[in-house]
Amino acid sequence: MKNALVTNSVSKNFGNFTALNKVSITVPKGSIFGLLGPNGAGKTTLIRIINQITMPDSGSVLLDDEPLQSYHIKDIGYLPEERGLYKTMKVGEQVLYLAQLKGLSKAEAKKRLEHWFEKFEIGDWWNKKIQELSKGMAQKIQFIVTVLHQPKLLIFDEPFSGFDPINANLIKDEILQLREEGATIIFATHRMESVEELCDDIALLHESNKILEGKLVDIKRQYKTNTFEVGLVTDNEAQLKQTIMAKFDASPAVYRSLNNDLKLNIKLKESESSNDLLAFLTSNAQVIHFNELVPTANDIFIQTVKNN
Ligand code: ADP
Ligand code: MG
């Protein structure tokens, strides 16, 4: 069992509209899998199918190599995009109730909840009503409810929307910790910031089709262009530029720096190594910045979506 979840050619139509067109993804066990794509791509629809809320028109889903069954629901922790908590219920009553629905005894639920409320420093929310909480606060509660029964597969739909940067970081750290503890995590997002730090694997959906999938590092390798961003200090900039242009494929670079340096992007040929470039530069100027330009998840997202 290498894969936690596989979807095979899953399709879903709403009337004449195709929300998913033969989408196949493979989520390796123990990975953090980013289900990426612009708004309306079909991410939530696929997640709802995995959670057996919606039935696919065709295709199949395997959880731990088994076709999806109703008893699998308890193996999945799901944070929906539409966060629903009972507004007039008190936080404590509500989380205890939801934890028991997931099969925990009241005593066990209490113990685990105490741990989480302490960890998130929200002990004093216990007797508040949900409607008294801000969106971010309610989302923290819902995150706890999602992970409390320690399911082996966690699915978070847009988990960072509604959080300020501090709380988004808190959730990021928790997601990394959950992977450490052996869980597999799928999270859907249309925003790429979190992807770099979190994802081992990604799939990119666009207009109901999967257009890219794989290990993030492998994809980055495919998209990299052997270009180095350099910052150089010299007392004769015009001369230096000329020397470099004569030997390399160079263009102006744009990045922020505290120095008044000459900023260039230098694209190397197959036969040239970064050491060759560095040696050349150090013999002609003071090198204060040297950085391989690796495409970000955002670059890849934009480029791939445009090409489709
Ligand atoms: P994402 O989560 O990637 O933003 P969704 O899966 O929510 O995208 O939606 C994909 C498309 O399917 C959207 O155009 C949406 O309007 C449509 N859609 C989703 N659910 C329904 C539904 N129950 N009935 C009709 N259209 C739907
Ligand atoms: Mg969505």
Side-chain angles (χ1 to χ4, degrees), residues 12 29 107 116 194 211 226 236 249 283-284 292 295:
K12 179 73 189 177
K29 224 178 225 324
W116 279 101
S194 43
I211 57 173
N226 217 15
N236 191 345
D249 176 0
S283 63
N284 286 282
E292 181 171 8

Side-chain angles (χ1 to χ4, degrees), residues 37-63:
N39 286 323
K43 305 180 294 295
T44 297
T45 304
L46 186 61
I47 284 178
R48 289 169 64 88
I49 288 171
I50 297 167
N51 282 290
Q52 303 182 60
I53 296 164
T54 312
M55 285 289 288
D57 294 335
S58 58
S60 61
V61 179
L62 303 178
L63 193 82

Side-chain angles (χ1 to χ4, degrees), residues 150-184:
Q150 301 177 334
K152 52 189 172 186
L153 178 63
L154 289 155
I155 303 179
F156 303 114
D157 198 352
E158 306 282 354
F160 305 111
S161 77
F163 275 131
D164 57 68
I166 293 174
N167 280 313
N169 253 335
L170 182 77
I171 296 300
K172 251 183 235 170
D173 290 344
E174 288 308 325
I175 290 178
L176 289 169
Q177 182 61 34
L178 288 163
R179 180 185 58 185
E180 282 305 298
E181 289 161 9
T184 304

